[in-house]
Structure formats: structure tokens, C-alpha cells
Amino acid sequence: FAPLAKKELHGSDVKLACVATAFPSGQTSLAVKLMEVSYVVLEGADEVDMVISRGKFLEGKYGEVAEEIRAVKAACGAVHLKVILETGELQSVQNIRKASEIALAAGADFLKTSTGKIQPAATPDAFLVMLDTISEFHRITGKKVGIKAAGGIADPDTALQYLALVKDVLGKEWLCKDLFRIGASRLAESVFSEL
């Protein structure tokens, strides 16, 4: 539906994001993942969401995970790449930190907590580890990488928790749509009801 969405968004500043790389499982060959990425870019995506190969990561195949991200980033060209870590499957703070470091070094424009398809999805603890890793990466490289909390954020109070974490760790300059987002499929209705 990318061409239809692109047509409907014409004239707005809303970016079109498409999932690729065998979302949400990430369980297919690199060749298929790259074909998917090339296809959604051709169809008009402004952003590509990829999910890392958690199986490979948990087996300690960090080089393969990094190479996949680099290859996907190359296939994106000028299109932004959001790398979904699926933090609920990574099992530890150390793994979340390592996956964040790998994704950043491989060229991620955004880190994203979760596909929203497994539990736990986004958690403040995992999000904080990701924020800290982005902060360190920014200090070392000067590059600003965005972050998206996604999965299970269903009420305004929870969303405000994530906003406060971003502000405290990365600063006010990250509080913009280019650097901070919340997966809001359930949140939007809750905010509307509150208003």
C-alpha cells in the first residue's frame, strides 16, 4: 500500500515508513531482506523499519547482525533506516546495550524498541539503555540518532514517562519528530478520549 499511502500524504509533511526485512520475525535470507528494502524504497518509502535477526544476535553472531544492518542501510540509499531491536527478546541489559551499539555503528538513523508483536515490548528500562547508548554515540561521533518507543504504550502518562526520559538523557533538542517518536496505535485513541 505504499503508493496509495504516498498519494494520500501528498502535500503533507508526514513521512511514509514501510516495514521490511521479514517484519516482524526477521527470519529470512539477507538477499530477500534486501529485495524487500529495495522494493519499498522504489514504492516511495521515506523511512524503512528493519528488525534485527535476534536469533543470530543471541547466538553471538554480532558480525553477521552488523553486516545485515550495513547492507540494509546501503539498500536504503537516502531513505532513513529505523532499526528495531525487539528488546523483549534480548534478555538482558548487556544485550540491549550491545545491540544498540551494533546498530549505531552499522548506520541506523533511528533505534526502535519493539515491533509491538511480542511481550514485553517497550519498557522504560530498555529504553533508558538505548538512550544512554545514543548519548555516548553522539558524544563520540557528533551524529544525532533518533529513538522510537513502540509497543504497549497505551496511555498519556506512559508516553510522558518516555518523553521525560528522552529530555533527561538526550536533552530538549531531541524532543522533535525527527529524533523522537512514540508508537501510538493505541495511544492516539486514549489521547483523543482525554481531550
Side-chain angles (χ1 to χ4, degrees), residues 132-156:
D132 184 59
T133 310
I134 288 171
S135 177
E136 184 175 302
F137 183 77
H138 179 250
R139 278 194 307 274
I140 293 167
T141 67
K143 181 180 177 187
K144 290 182 180 176
V145 174
I147 189 160
K148 182 174 180 179
I153 302 166
D155 61 81

